[in-house]
Amino acid sequence: MTEHLTIVKHPLVQHKLTIMRQKETSTASFRRLLREISQLLAYEVTSELPMTTKTIETPMCEMEAPTLDGKKLALISILRAGNGLMDGVLELIPAARVGFVGLYRDEKTLQPIQYYFKVPESLDDRLVIAVDPMLATGNSSVAAIDLLKEAGATNIRFLCLLAAPEGVARMKEAHPDVPIVTAALDEKLNEHGYIVPGLGDAGDRMFGTK
Ligand code: URA
């Protein structure tokens, strides 16, 4: 991918996102829509996966057929909200290896605090897709990518549902080599670091914790 930021404007993505943003949307619907959107976003984020061919036999004849090349990709969920995005992507790429980065944000400083890190082996040989629905301040996304690079990852993409200009700028400054794929670039952050207009707290909305 050459663009640093790709906004997926597909009508189905935009329609589903509008329903997710609405405050009256139930937890069950929010979760289902997130899974559906994540598959449409996954289509975009994997659009340039390396390919090769192999010889197969159809009922009619032999043919050289396209197939994915290289090591299985690694999907990294930035906990906890990343899991909602990851579930759908995994349905589309069931052979992906899976990792988790546990970060929460300190509500006062908005800085990320790490509490968990477990990722697949040989990250250097894999396309690594880090997923987190909300790219807000960018603090936790940048910290998660820092950790993935320390673990050897060199080919990373970042998949989110919503991005704020502040988060995109922060990522571009810290990790210009990491393309971002999102469904929308919103207006701004509020004083608490929430995306406006946004959709509220993605974790709370998908897990029904508030
Ligand atoms: N995290 C969320 O869940 N929502 C925001 O708006 C920002 C960060």
Side-chain angles (χ1 to χ4, degrees):
M1 296 191 125
T2 47
E3 296 293 318
H4 186 251
L5 179 70
T6 302
I7 301 172
V8 181
K9 299 203 170 121
H10 192 286
L12 288 176
V13 171
Q14 295 305 317
H15 180 81
K16 288 172 194 295
L17 177 58
T18 295
I19 303 173
M20 292 181 77
R21 288 183 188 274
Q22 290 169 260
K23 61 182 181 190
E24 62 273 19
T25 296
S26 69
T27 300
S29 300
F30 189 93
R31 215 182 281 157
R32 178 179 47 77
L33 288 159
L34 183 59
R35 197 179 61 245
E36 292 168 2
I37 288 196
S38 66
Q39 297 187 348
L40 297 163
L41 296 176
Y43 180 84
E44 182 67 35
V45 81
T46 55
S47 63
E48 290 159 21
L49 282 183
M51 300 293 292
T52 183
T53 58
K54 67 175 183 183
T55 311
I56 61 163
E57 266 185 62
T58 76
M60 310 302 292
C61 64
E62 210 174 71
M63 75 172 281
E64 279 298 298
T67 182
L68 292 172
D69 195 18
K71 272 213 159 78
K72 305 275 183 299
L73 64 80
L75 204 53
I76 310 294
S77 168
I78 303 173
L79 296 173
R80 70 177 165 154
N83 281 10
L85 207 48
M86 188 180 68
D87 288 346
V89 182
L90 261 183
E91 277 180 28
L92 208 63
I93 317 168
R97 303 305 190 233
V98 174
F100 298 93
V101 180
L103 295 169
Y104 69 88
R105 27 177 216 181
D106 184 293
E107 292 298 332
K108 288 206 180 72
T109 63
L110 303 183
Q111 290 307 309
I113 316 278
Q114 183 194 332
Y115 63 91
Y116 191 73
F117 187 77
K118 183 83 180 169
V119 295
E121 287 177 351
S122 317
L123 277 194
D124 48 336
D125 285 342
R126 302 179 192 277
L127 169 65
V128 175
I129 302 177
V131 299
D132 188 351
M134 310 300 270
L135 176 56
T137 60
N139 289 340
S140 48
S141 311
V142 165
I145 306 283
D146 283 342
L147 292 168
L148 293 174
K149 286 186 174 175
E150 277 167 34
T154 54
N155 184 11
I156 308 174
R157 289 173 199 177
F158 186 82
L159 180 61
C160 59
L161 180 65
L162 280 188
E166 294 87 336
V168 173
R170 174 107 171 76
M171 278 283 277
K172 189 166 190 177
E173 186 194 327
H175 297 296
D177 57 318
V178 176
I180 300 165
V181 173
T182 187
L185 179 63
D186 272 12
E187 196 187 319
K188 60 178 183 187
L189 295 178
N190 71 9
E191 65 279 19
H192 304 294
Y194 278 83
I195 298 177
V196 178
L199 49 72
D201 188 296
D204 283 340
R205 294 204 61 192
M206 80 180 71
F207 297 121
T209 37
K210 236 179 218 164

